[in-house]
Amino acid sequence: MRPTLTHDVLPSDSRKVKSQVRIFPISGIVCHTCKVIWQRLREAVMPTPAAADWLRIAAGFNQSAQFPNCIGALDGKHIRVKKPSHSGSRYFNYKQYFSVVLMALADSDYKFVIVDIGAYGSTSDSRILSASRMGERLRQNQLALPEPSRLPGSAGPPAPFVIVADEGFALSPHLMRPFPRRDLDDRKRIFNYRLTRARRYVECAFGILSSKWRVFQSSIQMKPDNVTLVIQACVMLHNFTRIHDASTDADLGLNMTSSVSLDLSRPGRPGTAGLAVREIFADYFSSPEGALSWQMDAIRGSR
């Protein structure tokens, strides 16, 4: 029997009140609450970014990760769910469990900037992005991105503002992915290292989300539409706590300065324009103006 709130919880002599109390399943209360959290907090803690917001995010990545003109780190997180009825293998992911995907763009403060929630677990990250509103707006240059600008200290060509992602995404003028593993020289290894340092922020944001909201530590026993509502609410509360009462990362048991992974085993077919933009960043990171004093030491283990 499902738990409900009914008139039975009231005193027996409260007949007038009893007649006005609705039978309301606990699951309905949870979903309604999650919907209200999403609706009430979204504009306050995850508003649609304007050009000034992108510039602020880019300044944060330049300061924290030494990756200029970066407007966010992108990745997808599989949220474990029970198998939906009559769903076949659509929710069954490559990790061998059923899931929906939280696709998120994060800033250097581990806050989510844009999210897409609810894609089938069997769908690749690149396809999810392509089918999402964020992906469509990115392709059509409708994200209100700032105009390209020269990288700090550089006399080279202006570079567009870009998103950093892993090898599961397609390269484009506004989305940078690592060079494939084959034929890597030091210049390409340095680019991969620098990109991965910036990309780790979305992975850490997912880690903070999962650590704080325990619902993500086991399979969510709800229908897919209701799972989406729960994820939406947790994303809003995540941003709210990061803005107003951010715990130290050490308190969450996360190592934000851990070594980065350079597993680049899934090459794709990048576009010509994206290749040209990646070359601008690769040249800059190996130049006197853009190099880090420790980057050569960092890449030695990946040779």
Side-chain angles (χ1 to χ4, degrees):
M1 177 181 296
R2 293 186 302 174
T4 60
L5 297 181
T6 73
H7 57 266
D8 292 332
V9 301
L10 298 172
S12 58
D13 58 348
S14 303
R15 295 185 180 180
K16 285 188 177 181
V17 178
K18 285 165 59 176
S19 64
Q20 298 175 10
V21 177
R22 297 170 56 194
I23 298 177
F24 202 28
I26 295 297
S27 61
I29 296 174
V30 171
C31 293
H32 178 73
T33 302
C34 289
K35 188 180 297 184
V36 171
I37 290 172
W38 170 261
Q39 293 171 345
R40 296 294 180 90
L41 289 183
R42 186 175 181 182
E43 286 302 316
V45 303
M46 199 180 70
T48 301
D53 299 309
W54 294 126
L55 289 172
R56 175 184 52 79
I57 293 170
F61 273 102
N62 190 32
Q63 180 178 0
S64 300
Q66 294 76 52
F67 199 113
N69 287 27
C70 175
I71 58 167
L74 179 70
D75 204 359
K77 175 177 176 59
H78 286 273
I79 307 298
R80 191 184 295 266
V81 299
K82 71 173 183 179
K83 180 183 178 181
S85 301
H86 312 296
S87 62
S89 61
R90 287 177 295 178
Y91 290 89
F92 196 67
N93 64 38
Y94 71 96
K95 297 180 180 181
Q96 306 298 302
Y97 61 82
F98 296 95
S99 67
V100 298
V101 179
L102 164 60
M103 179 72 65
L105 184 71
D107 65 16
S108 62
D109 293 322
Y110 313 110
K111 298 193 301 291
F112 298 116
V113 180
I114 301 175
V115 295
D116 183 86
I117 302 170
Y120 298 139
S122 62
T123 310
S124 67
D125 286 344
S126 184
R127 287 180 59 191
I128 294 171
L129 177 64
S130 180
S132 70
R133 187 165 181 264
M134 173 173 57
E136 180 181 358
R137 294 177 65 196
L138 185 64
R139 288 192 303 274
Q140 297 180 0
N141 294 320
Q142 295 179 346
L143 285 179
L145 300 182
E147 291 296 317
S149 64
R150 285 191 172 91
L151 301 176
S154 171
F161 285 79
V162 299
I163 292 168
V164 295
D166 64 18
E167 61 278 7
F169 294 88
L171 186 69
S172 76
H174 291 292
L175 194 151
M176 295 290 98
R177 55 170 274 170
F179 286 102
R181 180 184 291 274
R182 62 181 184 278
D183 301 325
L184 285 178
D185 54 21
D186 283 349
R187 174 176 162 278
K188 293 180 179 179
R189 289 189 178 92
I190 288 170
F191 173 85
N192 288 354
Y193 168 71
R194 298 287 290 272
L195 181 142
T196 309
R197 290 186 75 246
R199 183 175 57 81
R200 67 179 178 170
Y201 283 89
V202 67
E203 297 176 352
C204 292
F206 287 147
I208 295 169
L209 179 76
S210 296
S211 296
K212 186 174 287 291
W213 311 110
R214 298 297 179 89
V215 68
F216 297 122
Q217 297 185 10
S218 61
S219 178
I220 302 178
Q221 304 295 308
M222 303 176 78
K223 295 179 180 179
D225 288 346
N226 293 339
V227 170
T228 296
L229 293 175
V230 170
I231 298 171
Q232 287 177 337
C234 290
V235 166
M236 293 298 97
L237 294 172
H238 168 90
N239 277 13
F240 184 89
T241 57
R242 295 301 300 173
I243 293 169
H244 297 286
D245 187 26
S247 301
T248 63
D249 299 323
D251 289 341
L252 295 173
L254 297 173
N255 181 6
M256 300 301 180
T257 58
S258 61
S259 60
V260 297
S261 169
L262 296 178
D263 182 10
L264 311 175
S265 58
R266 292 185 289 174
R269 292 186 176 181
T272 302
L275 287 170
V277 173
R278 187 165 63 181
E279 292 297 321
I280 293 174
F281 281 95
D283 287 341
Y284 176 74
F285 291 148
S286 291
S287 71
E289 296 79 17
L292 299 176
S293 59
W294 66 85
Q295 65 188 23
M296 288 303 298
D297 291 334
I299 67 169
R300 283 174 183 161
S302 64
R303 292 180 179 174

